Amino acid sequence: MTESRILKKTLRRDALARRDALDPAWRIEASLGMAETASQAIPIVPGAIASGFWPMRSEVDVRPLMFALMEKGGRLCLPAILDKTTIVFRELVRGAPLVDMGFGTSGPGEEAEVLDPDVMLVPLAAFDRRGHRIGYGAGYYDRAIAKLQRQGRAPRLIGIAFDCQQVDHVPDEPHDVELPEILTESGLHRFGTAG
């Protein structure tokens, strides 16, 4: 394992421990506040596709934010793990059954339409002031975003985290996707080309 990967593993572990230590009631209130912030800061045109994620463990609960985007006319999708390297985004339709996706999360089944998101809410374990992120280590989102970009698509990428997940510096690796924006309880933070 490279020195960079060892450091990422340590940063991930420590950031997730800080997140896990947050009071569950506070996390709910912070998630609701983030949904309010985002509903103003993330314009979505009717019919645009937004990918969210079903929260696992102590993650930000983005379901209120997804509902706000749906109320603006957005179509929703959730990631579905196909194999050890690939995720696709399946449409989330009110009333449709959800199936176990592994990792303690749920999503639409195989009958749901596969969509290419215009806006992606990206989960993460840690981030820095440059918009560099540490995921959970499997690289699903890095590969999914890279695939969309190879197809000529440029989804708006918004990382989702609590402020306590910020670290001083995330080591750069060639495959890492930088996030131009990260939403936390203190607001929508823009990096690089996003402002």
Side-chain angles (χ1 to χ4, degrees):
M1 188 178 287
T2 66
E3 185 177 330
S4 176
R5 289 185 183 235
I6 292 169
L7 179 55
K8 277 187 170 182
K9 187 175 181 179
T10 301
L11 291 170
R12 178 185 300 114
R13 182 196 66 222
D14 294 349
L16 292 179
R18 290 191 301 274
R19 189 183 76 187
D20 288 344
L22 295 172
D23 178 69
W26 182 89
R27 282 198 310 261
I28 292 168
E29 289 300 318
S31 295
L32 291 171
M34 290 166 69
E36 288 179 26
T37 298
S39 68
Q40 302 301 317
I42 304 173
I44 191 160
V45 297
I49 300 165
S51 71
F53 53 90
W54 207 257
M56 57 185 190
R57 299 188 299 272
S58 59
E59 280 183 327
V60 173
D61 187 346
V62 295
R63 290 174 292 187
L65 170 51
M66 291 168 54
F67 180 75
L69 295 175
M70 185 185 72
E71 288 291 299
K72 291 178 163 185
R75 292 173 71 188
L76 302 179
C77 56
L78 293 174
I81 298 170
L82 298 185
D83 55 43
K84 291 184 178 183
T85 63
T86 310
I87 58 173
V88 295
F89 296 91
R90 293 182 181 152
E91 186 166 21
L92 176 63
V93 178
R94 190 186 303 264
L98 299 178
V99 298
D100 180 11
M101 288 289 152
F103 301 102
T105 188
S106 299
E110 293 180 6
E111 70 285 351
E113 184 178 355
V114 173
L115 303 174
D116 290 332
D118 300 303
V119 175
M120 293 179 74
L121 306 178
V122 182
L124 55 91
F127 68 97
D128 68 19
R129 293 180 190 272
R130 302 173 301 150
H132 291 241
R133 73 182 269 275
I134 298 175
Y136 293 106
Y140 287 116
Y141 273 85
D142 289 324
R143 285 188 294 275
I145 292 165
K147 179 182 176 188
L148 288 168
Q149 290 171 339
R150 282 193 307 273
Q151 295 170 347
R153 301 187 61 83
R156 181 175 180 183
L157 306 174
I158 305 169
I160 304 292
F162 293 113
D163 285 328
C164 70
Q165 293 170 252
Q166 183 172 328
V167 299
D168 288 334
H169 181 80
V170 170
D172 303 357
E173 292 189 87
H175 65 273
D176 290 339
V177 174
E178 295 176 32
L179 299 175
E181 300 171 281
I182 295 180
L183 177 66
T184 72
E185 71 272 19
S186 63
L188 183 63
H189 308 278
R190 293 184 167 95
F191 312 95
T193 58

